[in-house]
Amino acid sequence: MITSAEQKAARKRAAQMIAESGIRITEEEKNRIEVVDFGLSHLEIEGVQVLTLVQTDRISVKVLALLPNQTEPEHWHPPVGDDPGKEETIRVVSGTVYFYVQGENTFKQGFLVKGKKKHYTMMHEIILKPGDQITFQPGEKHWFQTLDEGAVMYSFSSVARDALDQFTDPNIVRTVKVVDE
Amino acid sequence: MITSAEQKAARKRAAQMIAESGIRITEEEKNRIEVVDFGLSHLEIEGVQVLTLVQTDRISVKVLALLPNQTEPEHWHPPVGDDPGKEETIRVVSGTVYFYVQGENTFKQGFLVKGKKKHYTMMHEIILKPGDQITFQPGEKHWFQTLDEGAVMYSFSSVARDALDQFTDPNIVRTVKVVDE
């Protein structure tokens, strides 16, 4: 869970980072940035801020903001009914993003979240800068993080069903509980 | 047809407009901006500049740049095999875009391309500014244009098969012929 104060502060930081990245969003959009703690209750360590621009039953477009040193936990997009699973291209707009995917262990520049080693199994490092992009096929496990500067990116995908994403860490729940202090 | 000099000049102007809109693209991307005259050989009147960022068999993401007073001709996205047709959301990044769709005739701020009245049949005007977006369902006829400032926008869609788009103007061909002067 996160507190409503945490939610508000993270939303504000994300809106600021998005504006600085050059992406123009409306006031209405700023106010509906989702602050996602994956049910882990330590937002600044594992979490992500998400603004959904397009969500239909065919495609999804989101802006993702990662705060400095924030990690989006390892996950994959499983098949759902007739859908083979979400195919996703992430394109970096500002900052540097450290992605970890299947392949030879080249883990070097990123860091493992303390005490979570067994929930991060992909160790092939791909570092993306603004204008770079990477495509994940359905089922491909991935996680990503930023270092001190944070990052803003687009996620372009086939239909997104976030609630059905699967995570290596069994403690994760995709619904966010917000409590008043 | 367009000349290679026209293609080069339009590509350069589009790259400049895209950069000024705040969208960061790589050098490689600048050099592969498509300059589309729809086979009408008067690019600055009817045409569009297109940079494809994502093109898979499920989704497509493009950056569209319209030069000042340039019009993208009326067209629609038909069904193709099992696909009901392209669903497309256009989001304006810079400039003002005048869209024309099915509905009551509210045509006011835009202009009709000279001598082309019968090839522009949608007259319901929707004016979008940066941060605004519009979604077209498969089969929905639409055309759009800019006035003096030009515009840059994203097109987020299900799979794009540009060559199969249908146009009201029977003179249009979607393949571009480039000739050396």
Side-chain angles (χ1 to χ4, degrees):
Chain A
M1 75 177 82
I2 54 174
T3 67
S4 54
E6 278 181 301
Q7 182 189 47
K8 194 175 162 187
R11 190 174 273 160
K12 193 175 167 185
R13 285 177 75 186
Q16 177 84 17
M17 290 171 66
I18 292 168
E20 285 171 0
S21 80
I23 300 176
R24 279 193 239 188
I25 63 172
T26 65
E27 281 304 309
E28 181 271 327
E29 288 169 337
K30 278 180 199 170
N31 293 324
R32 62 175 173 80
I33 294 172
E34 287 172 86
V35 176
V36 180
D37 79 336
F38 299 101
L40 299 172
S41 304
H42 57 189
L43 177 69
E44 304 225 347
I45 297 171
E46 292 173 296
V48 65
Q49 292 61 233
V50 182
L51 171 61
T52 299
L53 298 183
V54 180
Q55 176 78 293
T56 74
D57 59 2
R58 300 180 70 187
I59 68 164
S60 173
V61 177
K62 300 173 183 216
V63 178
L64 310 180
L66 275 187
L67 306 176
N69 301 299
Q70 196 177 34
T71 300
E72 168 145 345
E74 184 171 289
H75 67 285
W76 64 98
H77 309 291
V80 180
D82 288 344
D83 183 340
K86 186 171 94 163
E87 171 204 282
E88 179 180 32
T89 296
I90 292 182
R91 182 177 173 97
V92 177
V93 179
S94 69
T96 302
V97 186
Y98 301 78
F99 289 89
Y100 298 94
V101 299
Q102 182 74 50
E104 190 196 348
N105 185 333
T106 55
F107 188 77
K108 187 172 176 193
Q109 310 237 20
F111 63 93
L112 276 176
V113 175
K114 245 187 192 165
K116 290 287 189 113
K117 194 171 172 186
K118 65 179 176 184
H119 302 322
Y120 288 86
T121 64
M122 299 292 107
M123 288 290 139
H124 185 70
E125 187 172 76
I126 297 177
I127 301 175
L128 298 192
K129 302 268 187 187
D132 293 339
Q133 61 187 44
I134 185 170
T135 298
F136 301 109
Q137 295 305 318
E140 270 190 59
K141 288 188 186 179
H142 57 287
W143 60 280
F144 48 98
Q145 70 186 181
T146 56
L147 299 182
D148 288 347
E149 57 178 348
V152 173
M153 57 210 110
Y154 278 108
S155 163
F156 306 121
S157 75
S158 59
V159 56
R161 299 181 178 93
D162 297 341
L164 301 177
D165 283 350
Q166 294 185 350
F167 292 84
T168 306
D169 182 349
N171 302 305
I172 286 178
V173 288
R174 189 56 181 79
T175 47
V176 179
K177 190 173 171 188
V178 181
V179 297
D180 284 322
E181 281 168 302
Chain B
M1 73 177 82
I2 54 176
T3 66
S4 55
E6 279 181 300
Q7 182 189 47
K8 194 176 164 189
R11 190 174 273 159
K12 192 176 168 186
R13 286 176 75 186
Q16 177 82 16
M17 290 172 66
I18 291 168
E20 286 171 1
S21 80
I23 299 175
R24 277 192 241 188
I25 62 173
T26 64
E27 282 304 310
E28 181 271 324
E29 288 169 336
K30 277 180 201 170
N31 293 326
R32 63 175 172 80
I33 294 173
E34 286 172 86
V35 176
V36 181
D37 79 336
F38 300 100
L40 299 172
S41 304
H42 57 189
L43 176 69
E44 304 225 346
I45 297 172
E46 293 173 295
V48 65
Q49 291 62 233
V50 182
L51 171 61
T52 299
L53 298 182
V54 181
Q55 176 78 295
T56 74
D57 59 2
R58 300 180 70 186
I59 68 164
S60 172
V61 177
K62 299 172 184 217
V63 178
L64 310 181
L66 275 187
L67 306 176
N69 301 298
Q70 197 178 33
T71 299
E72 169 144 344
E74 184 171 290
H75 67 286
W76 64 98
H77 309 291
V80 179
D82 288 345
D83 183 339
K86 186 171 94 164
E87 172 203 282
E88 179 180 33
T89 295
I90 293 182
R91 181 176 174 98
V92 177
V93 178
S94 69
T96 302
V97 187
Y98 301 79
F99 289 90
Y100 299 93
V101 299
Q102 183 74 51
E104 191 195 348
N105 184 331
T106 55
F107 188 75
K108 189 172 174 193
Q109 308 237 21
F111 63 93
L112 276 176
V113 175
K114 245 185 192 167
K116 289 287 188 115
K117 194 171 172 186
K118 66 178 178 186
H119 302 322
Y120 289 85
T121 65
M122 301 290 107
M123 288 291 136
H124 186 69
E125 186 173 77
I126 296 176
I127 302 175
L128 298 190
K129 302 266 185 188
D132 294 338
Q133 61 186 46
I134 186 170
T135 298
F136 300 109
Q137 296 304 318
E140 271 190 59
K141 288 187 186 179
H142 57 285
W143 61 279
F144 49 99
Q145 69 186 183
T146 56
L147 298 182
D148 288 347
E149 58 180 343
V152 173
M153 57 209 110
Y154 278 110
S155 163
F156 306 122
S157 74
S158 59
V159 56
R161 298 181 178 92
D162 297 341
L164 301 177
D165 284 350
Q166 294 185 350
F167 292 84
T168 306
D169 183 347
N171 301 305
I172 286 178
V173 289
R174 189 57 181 76
T175 46
V176 178
K177 190 172 171 189
V178 180
V179 295
D180 285 319
E181 281 168 301

